[in-house]
Amino acid sequence: MPSKVSESMAPAESKRLIGRRVSAVACFDSFGKLAMTMLAACRREGAETTLLLLELNNRALSRRQRLEIRRIDPKTRIEKHNWNDLRQLCGAMVGNVDALILGLDGQRSRDALLQLKTIWADQDQRPRLISAYPGILFRFGLEGMMDRSGADLLCLNSADDLALYGRGRKALGLDSSNAMVTGLPILWQTKPRSSAPENPSIVFFEQPSIPVHPLQRRFLCDQIKELAEAWPDHPVIFKPRTSSIESTLHRRHGEMASVIDKMTRDQPNLRLSFKPATRLLRQCGCAITVSSTAAMESMAMGISTRIVGDLGVTETLGNHFFASSGAIANFAAIKANPFEVVHDAHWLEQQGLQRDGEDRFITALVDRLNNPAAPLGAANHGPLSWGSSAWQKAALSNGGRRMLSSGGARSSQRKRHRTRRMLRSMRDGVVGFGWLSKLLRER
């Protein structure tokens, strides 16, 4: 029997992006992983790939975060730059880069699209723009999709996302042909486990901003300890989203990790781990979370998965996304039966597990590359899904690009807190915490 042809030995003519160059920009760790996942798909099709990690002021990714991103595809080159270098970096891409993946949050997606519209004006050979989202829920729903609507290709997780985007665009007299369902990119290469581990662990995956209330967080910590007491022969692992000095897109609401760390002294099978979620899932028998994307990875691997229901099912918690998944349970039920797979596989395939998602993405990208680039917007504003020409002109003339970030809502918020931010910066600079924090993140 002939052996299976490896990736490196695959016939060149079968690779659809031979001779193409694809780059990506990202600022935060989750978006960096998303961008690297999409770049890896392009590289497997023969493209030359580069990831540009753009540092925000005092919000550099830590060495651990960068290693997790690199681990996704070690063959893709990574460069570190500052967010303020975006214009210069992208200006040099015309004629040299075929496609640019925007691994950015909504606010910076709008900012980047406005800058690119200016520097790529009247350029027939501009790179095609691809945008996607690393989570299961677009922040602010339709608004998150509209933020990215200026891209040539908008990759969405589900048919529900596509339908919502289509309704929003249609209401403004616009089509939604730039969007398609590719599924959640982190699941493209995820396969069910061939065998279960001998002594499976129980892992709780934390999120930086959920739940919000300190009493809720303390309740979860107590429940995790009780779970460890109920299953003393199994490792019960608490996986923090980040360490206290690492940057995330969303604001952190307290430290559950420090509470759990104290509990580990009295409970020998309870422990903290900063290992990547994919590594922890290999030995996991039950994955627990409030609403993390780790639940989707766990389900896709065929692992027993539980979504915490003790605090209710609400948009604030984000667990309303899992309402029909069959996986919502309170801790009493989890303690009684943690290892049985109960989630609905059909629901999973409807909400993010697109078996041919990577192929759909590459096919759509090739189609965009083989057709002329559409204008990124009129000369003095962005796509009309951000608002009318009259509004955008008024916003840009009165407040600059920031005023077009979500209709200016976040800009007004930023203005109210400007004094507080200035005082914090002065305090950090005077006592030296600013440079110390940056130094620690780099290690």
Side-chain angles (χ1 to χ4, degrees):
M1 293 289 291
S3 61
K4 184 178 180 180
V5 178
S6 68
E7 175 190 327
S8 60
M9 297 176 62
E13 60 270 16
S14 68
K15 297 186 175 184
R16 292 171 283 177
L17 294 175
I18 285 288
R20 299 289 193 177
R21 294 183 179 179
V22 182
S23 294
V25 293
C27 294
F28 299 100
D29 61 329
S30 57
F31 285 96
K33 293 174 184 176
L34 166 79
M36 185 62 93
T37 299
M38 302 181 84
L39 287 173
C42 294
R43 190 189 56 75
R44 284 189 286 270
E45 289 291 338
E48 181 183 331
T49 53
T50 305
L51 173 61
L52 307 176
L53 288 178
L54 304 183
E55 177 182 340
L56 302 170
N57 290 336
N58 201 29
R59 299 185 75 177
L61 296 181
S62 69
R63 182 174 180 272
R64 184 188 67 83
Q65 289 173 317
R66 295 197 305 271
L67 286 175
E68 284 193 20
I69 293 171
R70 182 178 294 281
R71 196 175 287 119
I72 295 172
D73 186 22
K75 294 183 180 180
T76 288
R77 185 172 75 255
I78 297 180
E79 297 179 8
K80 290 171 57 180
H81 297 277
N82 191 283
W83 169 257
N84 294 329
D85 298 331
L86 179 69
R87 181 182 293 269
Q88 178 183 352
L89 292 168
C90 292
M93 289 182 183
V94 176
N96 296 311
V97 173
D98 297 286
L100 177 63
I101 298 168
L102 300 177
L104 302 171
D105 58 282
Q107 176 185 347
R108 289 174 185 81
S109 291
R110 289 198 184 210
D111 194 352
L113 285 166
L114 284 170
Q115 293 191 59
L116 295 176
K117 177 183 63 64
T118 301
I119 63 178
W120 291 351
D122 304 321
Q123 295 286 348
D124 295 332
Q125 299 301 316
R126 70 163 177 84
R128 305 305 188 267
L129 293 176
I130 303 103
S131 186
Y133 189 68
I136 50 180
L137 282 168
F138 274 95
R139 191 159 175 79
F140 303 114
L142 179 58
E143 184 176 319
M145 301 182 210
M146 291 301 200
D147 283 341
R148 300 162 172 84
S149 60
D152 299 291
L153 176 60
L154 175 58
C155 297
L156 300 177
N157 294 341
S158 69
D160 289 348
D161 286 344
L162 182 61
L164 177 59
Y165 179 69
R167 291 195 297 271
R169 295 275 290 184
K170 185 178 180 180
L172 296 171
L174 307 169
D175 69 64
S176 54
S177 58
N178 67 326
M180 70 174 302
V181 177
T182 60
L184 195 61
I186 62 168
L187 302 183
W188 286 349
Q189 295 292 309
T190 303
K191 301 292 188 294
R193 287 192 311 204
S194 57
S195 61
E198 289 185 9
N199 185 38
S201 60
I202 300 172
V203 186
F204 182 91
F205 293 92
E206 185 209 24
Q207 293 159 273
S209 57
I210 296 173
V212 173
H213 199 283
L215 185 59
Q216 293 175 319
R217 297 193 296 273
R218 180 67 202 211
F219 172 82
L220 291 182
C221 292
D222 291 338
Q223 293 300 310
I224 293 168
K225 183 182 180 183
E226 290 182 18
L227 180 61
E229 293 170 347
W231 294 87
D233 296 330
H234 293 267
V236 176
I237 300 170
F238 182 87
K239 167 66 168 74
R241 175 64 176 79
T242 59
S243 73
S244 59
I245 64 167
E246 290 179 329
S247 297
T248 59
L249 172 60
H250 305 303
R251 178 188 173 191
R252 294 185 63 88
H253 289 302
E255 282 293 325
M256 291 176 65
S258 60
V259 177
I260 294 290
D261 187 41
K262 293 177 183 177
M263 292 178 171
T264 61
R265 301 167 192 172
D266 302 320
Q267 191 62 39
N269 66 321
L270 179 61
R271 65 194 64 164
L272 288 174
S273 177
F274 285 91
K275 291 181 180 179
T278 50
R279 290 181 61 186
L280 290 175
L281 287 172
R282 293 172 193 167
Q283 299 298 316
C284 180
C286 177
I288 307 170
T289 186
V290 176
S291 58
S292 170
T293 53
M296 302 294 281
E297 291 185 77
S298 174
M299 291 179 184
M301 293 176 69
I303 298 170
S304 170
T305 307
R306 299 293 187 272
I307 305 300
V308 175
D310 291 84
L311 307 177
V313 176
T314 67
E315 289 88 351
T316 300
L317 294 169
N319 58 2
H320 69 293
F321 175 83
F322 294 93
S324 301
S325 69
I328 293 181
N330 58 35
F331 266 97
I334 298 172
K335 291 171 203 169
N337 180 22
F339 298 114
E340 181 185 358
V341 176
V342 297
H343 68 263
D344 185 339
H346 180 63
W347 173 89
L348 178 64
E349 293 183 355
Q350 287 181 318
Q351 297 300 326
L353 180 59
Q354 188 76 37
R355 297 290 181 182
D356 62 344
E358 182 173 322
D359 180 68
R360 290 166 66 90
F361 161 61
I362 295 295
T363 299
L365 175 56
V366 170
D367 177 72
R368 268 63 173 183
L369 292 172
N370 290 336
N371 287 286
L376 287 178
N380 51 5
H381 61 76
L384 293 177
S385 49
W386 296 356
S388 67
S389 300
W391 155 245
Q392 292 196 48
K393 290 176 183 177
L396 289 168
S397 62
N398 284 279
R401 294 195 308 271
R402 287 183 177 179
M403 281 306 295
L404 278 185
S405 295
S406 304
R410 296 174 199 165
S411 298
S412 62
Q413 190 176 43
R414 182 180 289 110
K415 185 175 181 180
R416 286 196 301 272
H417 297 304
R418 184 178 299 160
T419 303
R420 185 183 303 170
R421 289 199 334 275
M422 184 167 30
L423 289 173
R424 284 175 180 167
S425 297
M426 291 173 62
R427 177 199 65 193
D428 289 351
V430 169
V431 300
F433 289 155
W435 66 263
L436 179 60
S437 174
K438 185 173 182 180
L439 176 64
L440 290 172
R441 288 193 185 106
E442 292 296 324
R443 296 186 66 81

